[in-house]
Amino acid sequence: MKTADRRVMVQARDIVKFYGRFKALDQVSLTIHEGEKVVIIGPSGSGKSTLLRSINRLEEIDAGSMVVNGMDLYSKNTDLTRVREEVGMVFQAFNLFPHKSVLENLTLAQIVVRGRSKDEALAKAKVLLEKVGLADKANAYPGKLSGGQQQRVAIARSLAMDPKIMLFDEPTSALDPEMIGEVLDVMKGLAREGMTMAVVTHEMGFAREVADRVVFMDNGSVVEDGTPEHFFTSPRHPRAQQFLSQIL
Amino acid sequence: MTHKEPAKIVDVGDGAAIPTKGDRGLFTAWRIAFVGAIAILSWLCLTRPDPYLAIVKFVPDGIYVTFKVTVGSILLALVFGLVTGLGRISANRFYNGLASLYVEVIRGIPLLVQIFYIYYALGRFVKIPDLLSAIIAMAVCYGAYMGEVIRAGIQSIPKGQMEAALSLGMTRGQAMRHVILPQAFKIILPPAGNEFIALLKDSSLVSILAVADLLRRGREFASESFTYFETYTVIALIYLIITLFFSKLIGIMEGRINENS
């Protein structure tokens, strides 16, 4: 199936976002289709995290529209929780609930938000922990886990909600180098299963290997949007060329 | 993006200092004060039963009333405090404004004046027992302070916790209940314990109302027997013993909670 035939999962149009007088997003538009893996890169302060966070309205925007899974996210009439329960989010700082065990981290929202029974939620949680390779840590508390393990739990916690799209906000930036691989492996596995993904990262290897599209942002604007081959070999924009020459 | 460093806050409570493990100096000071107070009281009762033993026999009813006022007030103050604390961080302007107004007004009026005012204001419109109106007066006051304690506790939880809960589809209320408040509780407990002890001491103010608490019983005894010095010595020692006992108990509770996390 060609990308263009697939259902549109995220449709951002002309998004403008100010922090005080600083323009973080300057009329950004972005489309993500079902099953697509989009990697967003760019220098820090370019607005990539802000854009990602606006996909489940963790940021308020000043202009533009964002339609996610067919629902207009910034409309007054939209039930925000309905949108968010379909959008998984993984944070740089993991944000596991420290007062709950790994298993409880995975079951809480299933029970409270999805209304699943405890048994059902537990069964799902165990399958997912197996999948991220942490079945033996089910009863541990987040504080006892390494950064890499915490992030894998965080991914499993999001997956437990059966999201239609997963957002990753610099998921490996807070990790020690030797733990980055284990998290990226889980993400690659997800990508192979066909999950729709939007990933903000500095891991160029991951972008090259997994991305269907690479979006390059600079100064609050999208300046390149194309295949990884195109981006890594022949970027048009001088800012992208400069960025690549610095990191490669 | 402009990030403002939050101003450092020096928190000075007026409750008894709760000794922490490792704080050896305070720990021994606590022991000396606690054991010393009990020893002096016992010695006075044994060597001079008249009037000391008579006083000690007369006041237990008052201790019971002091407890009722303190426990009732702190429970009600926690409810007021939770409503106020949530209001102070609410995005709803009306709710937020109301909570802030309550805190400002209460903090600007001396407790003794508030107690008089609420007691007589309540008495003017509704007929409720003296004890209950004393409890309400104390709780209205302490609710404002408790509100600030709870607000600070909630705000000390990293922003990412709320974001993670919201991104899982929880409402703000669900996130508060399941994620934020359970974590904030541990942070709130020590200052709330200090508030409890401060309230225990301030409950002596209700003795000016028709509430027969520990201090009031003492005043009654003293005015009949003209043993003012002896009576207030006993009253002071009993307050000290009770206060020290609770500060220790709260310290132990705190230790338990920290161990479990």
Side-chain angles (χ1 to χ4, degrees):
Chain A
M1 193 159 50
K2 287 210 307 272
T3 306
D5 302 333
R6 290 181 182 167
R7 206 163 82 86
V8 172
M9 192 58 88
V10 175
Q11 180 74 268
R13 277 212 183 89
D14 300 324
I15 304 236
V16 177
K17 163 78 185 175
F18 283 95
Y19 288 111
R21 295 171 74 181
F22 176 77
K23 206 176 208 176
L25 293 176
D26 186 3
Q27 296 204 303
V28 173
S29 297
L30 179 75
T31 307
I32 301 174
H33 292 87
E34 194 165 22
E36 234 183 337
K37 296 107 191 58
V38 176
V39 171
I40 304 167
I41 58 182
S44 58
S46 60
K48 46 195 197 312
S49 280
T50 307
L51 176 63
L52 194 79
R53 286 161 58 83
S54 68
I55 298 178
N56 65 355
R57 200 169 166 176
L58 287 180
E59 299 284 347
E60 293 301 318
I61 60 173
D62 295 298
S65 72
M66 175 74 75
V67 177
V68 177
N69 194 29
M71 290 176 273
D72 186 352
L73 194 52
Y74 288 89
S75 151
K76 264 192 193 149
N77 305 321
T78 304
D79 181 357
L80 212 49
T81 60
R82 286 266 94 79
V83 184
R84 282 176 176 152
E85 57 184 70
E86 310 295 341
V87 180
M89 178 122 191
V90 175
F91 300 86
Q92 181 177 348
F94 329 133
N95 294 345
L96 292 179
F97 306 137
H99 62 302
K100 296 203 173 285
S101 71
V102 165
L103 217 46
E104 289 165 340
N105 263 276
L106 266 68
T107 55
L108 178 63
Q110 290 191 67
I111 295 167
V112 171
V113 178
R114 285 278 194 230
R116 290 176 188 157
S117 72
K118 199 169 177 211
D119 289 343
E120 202 183 343
L122 276 173
K124 176 108 198 162
K126 283 176 181 159
V127 169
L128 285 166
L129 282 180
E130 192 77 47
K131 181 172 172 169
V132 299
L134 290 170
D136 56 327
K137 300 287 184 192
N139 296 313
Y141 279 79
K144 304 278 178 213
L145 304 181
S146 72
Q149 290 171 332
Q150 288 192 52
Q151 195 60 298
R152 281 144 68 199
V153 171
I155 294 171
R157 178 176 69 176
S158 284
L159 291 175
M161 296 295 287
D162 296 313
K164 297 209 161 61
I165 176 171
M166 286 283 285
L167 311 176
F168 293 85
D169 189 4
E170 303 202 26
T172 57
S173 296
L175 296 176
D176 291 336
E178 70 268 25
M179 293 172 186
I180 291 174
E182 65 190 55
V183 171
L184 291 181
D185 285 343
V186 169
M187 291 169 65
K188 285 174 193 166
L190 267 184
R192 275 194 300 274
E193 289 169 17
M195 175 62 76
T196 311
M197 294 163 74
V199 184
V200 170
T201 186
H202 297 291
E203 295 296 323
M204 294 305 141
F206 177 83
R208 210 181 268 236
E209 187 184 332
V210 175
D212 297 314
R213 266 163 63 209
V214 171
V215 170
F216 179 78
M217 289 185 72
D218 186 46
N219 273 331
S221 302
V222 171
V223 295
E224 293 274 352
D225 184 349
T227 61
E229 300 82 60
H230 162 78
F231 178 76
F232 286 108
T233 55
S234 53
R236 275 164 305 190
H237 199 277
R239 193 65 189 82
Q241 292 164 3
Q242 188 196 348
F243 180 79
L244 282 173
S245 71
Q246 274 164 358
I247 56 155
L248 293 181
Chain B
M1 260 179 286
T2 50
H3 287 288
K4 230 177 94 189
E5 269 302 306
K8 290 268 184 296
I9 296 163
V10 180
D11 194 10
V12 183
D14 64 345
I18 296 172
T20 48
K21 269 186 205 164
D23 193 349
R24 282 280 153 210
L26 254 180
F27 198 65
T28 36
W30 181 89
R31 272 189 191 164
I32 293 167
F34 189 68
V35 176
I38 290 174
I40 292 171
L41 196 57
S42 315
W43 179 73
L44 287 173
C45 287
L46 286 173
T47 54
R48 287 185 55 197
D50 178 37
Y52 286 107
L53 195 59
I55 300 167
V56 169
K57 279 182 176 163
F58 188 76
V59 295
D61 288 354
I63 297 177
Y64 178 59
V65 171
T66 289
F67 273 126
K68 276 211 279 200
V69 172
T70 305
V71 173
S73 306
I74 198 80
L75 292 178
L76 200 56
L78 275 171
V79 175
F80 290 168
L82 189 61
V83 173
T84 311
L86 289 172
R88 295 269 285 157
I89 54 167
S90 170
N92 181 324
R93 278 203 191 153
F94 179 73
Y95 183 19
N96 193 316
L98 205 64
S100 303
L101 187 67
Y102 167 56
V103 172
E104 286 304 322
V105 168
I106 293 299
R107 291 212 291 198
I109 301 174
L111 178 54
L112 186 55
V113 176
Q114 283 178 51
I115 288 173
F116 267 130
Y117 188 81
I118 295 168
Y119 181 77
Y120 288 110
L122 277 174
R124 182 145 195 174
F125 300 112
V126 281
K127 194 75 213 113
I128 53 171
D130 291 336
L131 182 74
L132 186 60
S133 73
I135 287 175
I136 292 172
M138 296 291 293
V140 165
C141 167
Y142 269 83
Y145 293 93
M146 206 57 96
E148 289 301 276
V149 167
I150 290 172
R151 177 187 62 80
I154 291 170
Q155 285 181 332
S156 71
I157 305 302
K159 215 172 74 198
Q161 291 290 309
M162 177 56 91
E163 290 186 349
L166 292 179
S167 76
L168 287 164
M170 287 187 219
T171 62
R172 280 191 174 270
Q174 288 168 337
M176 266 294 160
R177 193 174 138 217
H178 297 287
V179 177
I180 307 296
L181 287 178
Q183 294 183 63
F185 175 73
K186 278 182 209 165
I187 292 161
I188 290 167
L189 192 72
N194 274 329
E195 291 292 313
F196 174 80
I197 288 162
L199 199 153
L200 181 75
K201 292 185 293 178
D202 280 348
S203 76
S204 61
L205 291 172
V206 304
S207 65
I208 54 151
L209 310 174
V211 176
D213 77 328
L214 177 54
L215 180 57
R216 174 123 187 156
R217 290 289 282 175
R219 280 167 60 194
E220 283 169 10
F221 188 91
S223 62
E224 275 171 31
S225 62
F226 300 105
T227 51
Y228 289 96
F229 171 74
E230 293 82 353
T231 307
Y232 290 126
T233 302
V234 172
I235 297 294
L237 285 171
I238 292 176
Y239 269 116
L240 182 62
I241 292 166
I242 295 173
T243 308
L244 289 171
F245 173 77
F246 277 103
S247 62
K248 185 76 181 175
L249 196 69
I250 289 163
I252 292 169
M253 260 167 66
E254 223 181 287
R256 285 269 164 79
I257 283 183
N258 286 335
E259 263 169 41
N260 289 344
S261 64

